Amino acid sequence: MWGMIATWRMAVEGLTEGANTLEKGGSAEEAIVKAISEVEDFPYYKSVGYGGLPNEEMEVELDAAYMNGTTLDFGAVGAVKDFKNPIKIARRLSVEKANNFLVGVGAEKFAHKEGFERKTMLTDRAKIHYKNRVHKLNQQENELTPYSGHDTVGMVALDQQGLMTAGTSTSGLFMKKPGRVGDSPVIGSGLYVDSEIGGATATGLGEDLMKGMVSYEIVSFMREGFSPQEACEKAVAKLDQKLKERRGKAGDLSVVAMDKKGNYGVASNIEGFSFAVVTETKAPKVYIVDKIKEGKCHYEKATQEWLENYMATRTAPLEEEWKK
Ligand code: ASP
C-alpha cells in the first residue's frame, strides 16, 4: 500500500505528482519534497512559497519542515527569506547530526552555502494584497486580524517500502511580526510521523495549535489503537474544548493523518477546511470538511463547481483598492 494526504485544496496538483513517484515505487521522501515544492512554486497560492503573503514590513518570511518517520530525522527552517523551496532546505537539514532547525539569517546562510536557489518570493500580487490591507487599516475599516490569507500545506506520505514522511511549508500569518514563527516547522505540532504508526500534520492558528502539540497527539492516539479518523477527531475536540474552557476561545485547528496501512483521517473546528488524498486504490481527490460536531467530522467530495470557483477566485485580477 502507498498513499499521501495533504491539507487544503491547493495541495492536489503536488499530491498528484507525489503519487506518480509513489506508484512507481519511489520513496516517500522524494514524493513529499516534490509535492510540496510544486505548491511552493505556484504563484497564486498566497500562503505558501512564491506568492505567499508578507509580514507587516512587506517581507515574505517562510517556515517549512520535513520529517522521516523511520529514522525520526527532522529538519526545519523558520522565517527564511528569498529562497525558492524552503522544503528542500528543511529536508537537507534533516540529515545533519545537529543544527536541524535553523531560523532567519542562520537558515539563509546555510541555504546559501549549500547552493539552494535564491528567488525573490514577494510577487506583485502579494504586494497588492499588502497595500490593500494597509489602506483598509488606515481607514480603520477593519481591525487588524492577522489571521487571513493564511494556510499551510502539510503532507504525510507512505511509500511501498513502508517509509512514512511528513512535510510542511507556509508563509504563516499575513501581517505577522518579523521573526514570528508558527507551528508549521515545529516538530510535534505542525507535523509528526513514525513509520511504525502513522503521521499527522496541522494547519490553522499556529499559536493555538502549538498549545496542544496536535500532530504528536494524533500519532499518540493512533499508537493507542485509534483509527486516523478517531485520532484526528479526538485531538481537535480535546484542544478546541480546552482552549475554550481556559481562554474563552479557540483559533482555527485543522488536521489530517494517515497510518502505516494507508488509512486516513481528518478533523477541523472550522467550516470549509479542505484536504486532498490519494492511495493505491483511490485517485487523487479534494474533499470539503464540516466543522466538528459532537466529536465527529464529516467530509464530502468537492463538487466540480466548487473546484472551478476555487481556481477562478484564486487567479481573478486583484483590484488595487489602495489607489482609490
Ligand atoms: N499554522 C500556520 C501558522 O500559524 C498558518 C496556517 O496553517 O494557516 O503559521
Side-chain angles (χ1 to χ4, degrees):
M1 179 53 93
W2 56 266
M4 204 166 183
I5 189 161
T7 55
W8 303 110
R9 147 69 186 89
M10 65 178 155
V12 75
E13 290 87 4
L15 188 102
T16 307
E17 277 288 304
N20 288 336
T21 300
L22 295 173
E23 192 172 21
K24 289 187 202 124
S27 80
E29 174 165 354
E30 192 193 326
I32 216 156
V33 173
K34 199 188 260 184
I36 293 182
S37 300
E38 172 130 358
V39 185
E40 289 176 337
D41 291 341
F42 190 67
Y44 289 102
Y45 297 147
K46 59 186 165 76
S47 55
V48 175
Y50 183 61
L53 293 182
N55 65 16
E56 64 176 23
E57 294 183 1
M58 212 173 83
E59 295 170 324
V60 181
E61 290 189 330
L62 302 165
D63 301 340
Y66 167 79
M67 184 168 183
N68 177 313
T70 300
T71 60
L72 305 180
D73 283 334
F74 71 86
V77 290
V80 78
K81 279 187 245 175
D82 291 334
F83 278 92
K84 185 172 178 274
N85 292 115
I87 187 65
K88 292 184 182 168
I89 309 171
R91 191 258 307 259
R92 170 68 188 79
L93 280 167
S94 75
V95 297
E96 292 288 303
K97 284 205 178 73
N99 302 297
N100 301 110
F101 190 170
L102 298 181
V103 300
V105 175
E108 287 155 15
K109 279 188 182 165
F110 174 85
H112 177 70
K113 282 188 195 140
E114 290 295 318
F116 283 94
E117 195 175 334
R118 284 183 184 272
K119 182 171 181 173
T120 300
M121 299 301 267
L122 182 67
T123 60
D124 289 342
R125 196 174 168 88
K127 278 188 211 162
I128 299 175
H129 277 293
Y130 175 85
K131 288 179 182 167
N132 285 348
R133 177 57 74 90
V134 171
H135 175 69
K136 272 192 191 144
L137 286 172
N138 290 341
Q139 291 184 326
Q140 294 187 322
E141 269 181 25
N142 61 357
E143 83 190 65
L144 180 58
T145 49
Y147 198 59
S148 62
H150 56 94
D151 299 353
T152 299
V153 61
M155 301 198 186
V156 178
L158 161 69
D159 70 24
Q160 295 185 33
Q161 291 72 42
L163 168 67
M164 294 195 78
T165 60
T168 56
S169 185
T170 187
S171 52
L173 302 186
F174 182 27
M175 300 297 262
K176 63 189 178 185
K177 292 270 179 232
R180 181 262 184 195
V181 175
D183 62 306
S184 307
V186 178
I187 306 306
S189 187
L191 72 168
Y192 196 81
V193 61
D194 181 332
S195 303
E196 291 180 5
I197 305 163
T201 181
T203 177
L205 183 60
E207 284 74 1
D208 274 358
L209 288 161
M210 283 190 272
K211 294 182 176 88
M213 291 304 271
V214 80
S215 293
Y216 187 77
E217 174 100 317
I218 292 167
V219 175
S220 297
F221 282 137
M222 292 196 285
R223 181 191 295 115
E224 285 171 29
F226 291 101
S227 69
Q229 183 59 30
E230 289 164 342
C232 287
E233 288 168 347
K234 276 174 86 69
V236 167
K238 186 175 152 190
L239 183 57
D240 182 68
Q241 191 188 352
K242 192 189 265 191
L243 292 169
K244 284 177 180 155
E245 274 169 17
R246 309 250 190 114
R247 305 171 60 81
K249 60 176 193 259
D252 296 9
L253 315 169
S254 301
V255 298
V256 299
M258 182 169 274
D259 70 12
K260 64 175 182 184
K261 294 187 178 140
N263 303 310
Y264 58 87
V266 51
S268 178
N269 71 345
I270 59 165
E271 231 33 277
F273 172 56
S274 57
F275 74 102
V277 66
V278 57
T279 67
E280 199 173 316
T281 53
K282 277 189 184 158
K285 280 209 172 52
V286 175
Y287 296 82
I288 315 291
V289 186
D290 292 338
K291 184 175 171 167
I292 193 161
K293 256 187 224 102
E294 282 151 21
K296 295 269 164 267
C297 247
H298 175 78
Y299 55 85
E300 244 163 51
K301 215 160 75 190
T303 61
Q304 197 51 36
E305 192 191 347
W306 187 93
L307 291 169
E308 279 163 18
N309 187 37
Y310 176 93
M311 241 342 156
T313 48
R314 285 304 169 292
T315 55
L318 260 190
E319 253 194 77
E320 296 189 76
E321 290 154 22
W322 63 280
K323 280 192 175 161
K324 286 181 195 160

